[in-house]
Amino acid sequence: MPHGFELAFGPASEGHAHATSLCFVGKELLVTAEGSLPAPSQIEWMGVPQHRHVIGQAGDAVVEMQVWPADAVLPPGLSKADLRKTLANWPQALADAACRARQLATWLGETRYCGACGGTMETEAHAAARKCPACGFVAYPRISPVGIVLVTRGDEILLARSPHFTPGTYSALAGYAEAGESLEACIHREVREEVGIEIRDLRWFGSQSWPLTNALMLGFLAEYDGGTLNLQQDEIEDAQWFRRDNLPTLPHHSTLAYRMIRAWGG
């Protein structure tokens, strides 16, 4: 697939030439044993999907998503993808499309019924929106902002590991923004809560959609401003200052955290 994915939303049809189809059971992406997209014959085996929408375009290829129930029987040769590994091995445009599709598949499953009156929701034809015909309530895909920060102290950076990380892997500190909280306030709070130090001079780095938690990762750099490491035990297993010549195992190269660390490390 050519580089560059452009978002869109609309009804899918058999007339779309050069369509790339991302197939889901519930919110789980289906791939072959080699980690590639299913063949058309495997998709046909599954019958009519619950949902089918165009979600964007990459070059000449229209990208669509198809969703079957979470308990659907899988065709021979297909399995549910380990999305972290799959996205890391796909071209960037296809990975971006899969990120969008995963979030939309999750949203479609979570908005079957209206949260206001309990009525059955319907998908708008040309917008990523679900509307209740009974009361008019509209639900959009959930996007959760997460502040992620790489803290520097001279020629060192602060990296930490969660108990849920792959053994030995360290990353930048991160946390979800609360209702009514700015990203800057979120980052100061999360650093204070997780490792007990103060930071200053927040500087914007970049962002990344992260579909596994419906998150929008918003990256910053910051300088250490005082305090000693005091770890939040239920969140942080370990945190240390690392020099460029002694970095631990880092997150996968597809992640924003990795790009931030490598941009600092040169």
Side-chain angles (χ1 to χ4, degrees):
M1 179 177 289
H3 181 71
F5 174 67
E6 297 182 8
L7 273 61
F9 192 85
S13 72
E14 298 300 334
H16 284 134
H18 310 296
T20 295
S21 189
L22 298 164
C23 300
F24 291 80
V25 288
K27 63 180 181 180
E28 303 298 332
L29 176 67
L30 296 184
V31 293
T32 67
E34 294 75 29
S36 58
L37 294 175
S41 59
Q42 293 172 303
I43 297 173
E44 292 169 2
W45 188 92
M46 298 185 69
V48 179
Q50 282 184 317
H51 305 280
R52 185 182 177 197
H53 305 284
V54 168
I55 62 167
Q57 185 156 344
D60 294 331
V62 171
V63 183
E64 65 176 32
M65 62 177 293
Q66 300 187 55
V67 185
W68 286 265
D71 59 357
V73 177
L74 303 188
L78 296 187
S79 62
K80 299 175 182 178
D82 180 332
L83 207 59
R84 293 175 188 269
K85 293 180 180 178
T86 299
L87 296 183
N89 292 322
W90 279 4
Q92 190 61 53
L94 184 56
D96 290 345
C99 284
R100 175 166 168 77
R102 164 62 183 260
Q103 289 184 261
L104 293 177
T106 301
W107 164 69
L108 288 167
E110 292 175 344
T111 56
R112 293 173 59 194
Y113 302 105
C114 177
C117 75
T120 302
M121 300 286 273
E122 297 177 354
T123 305
E124 298 284 87
H126 296 285
R130 299 269 276 170
K131 186 174 183 179
C132 175
C135 73
F137 176 75
V138 179
Y140 298 94
R142 177 164 52 92
I143 301 173
S144 302
V146 174
I148 180 169
V149 60
L150 185 64
V151 182
T152 62
R153 185 181 68 176
D155 61 353
E156 299 175 308
I157 54 172
L158 179 63
L159 299 177
R161 60 170 283 102
S162 160
H164 309 296
F165 286 4
T166 302
T169 299
Y170 285 71
S171 186
L173 297 170
Y176 287 93
E178 298 282 352
E181 182 179 48
S182 70
L183 275 172
E184 292 81 359
C186 164
I187 289 173
H188 280 277
R189 174 183 57 78
E190 286 288 343
V191 172
R192 189 180 301 119
E193 289 178 354
E194 292 189 345
V195 295
I197 66 170
E198 299 297 328
I199 57 174
R200 58 180 171 83
D201 298 338
L202 279 180
R203 306 179 307 282
W204 173 251
F205 180 86
S207 64
Q208 178 184 36
S209 175
W210 191 243
L212 300 185
T213 54
N214 298 313
L216 177 61
M217 309 295 293
L218 302 153
F220 290 81
L221 307 176
E223 299 290 335
Y224 167 76
D225 196 37
T228 57
L229 296 179
N230 181 22
L231 309 188
Q232 186 179 15
Q233 295 302 318
D234 58 337
E235 295 284 341
I236 303 297
E237 185 176 87
D238 188 34
Q240 299 180 40
W241 295 99
F242 293 94
R243 297 172 63 92
R244 288 179 175 84
D245 59 358
N246 189 36
L247 292 176
T249 302
L250 301 179
H252 196 273
H253 63 76
S254 64
T255 63
L256 179 61
Y258 179 89
R259 299 204 308 267
M260 295 168 68
I261 295 167
R262 282 306 180 199
W264 167 82

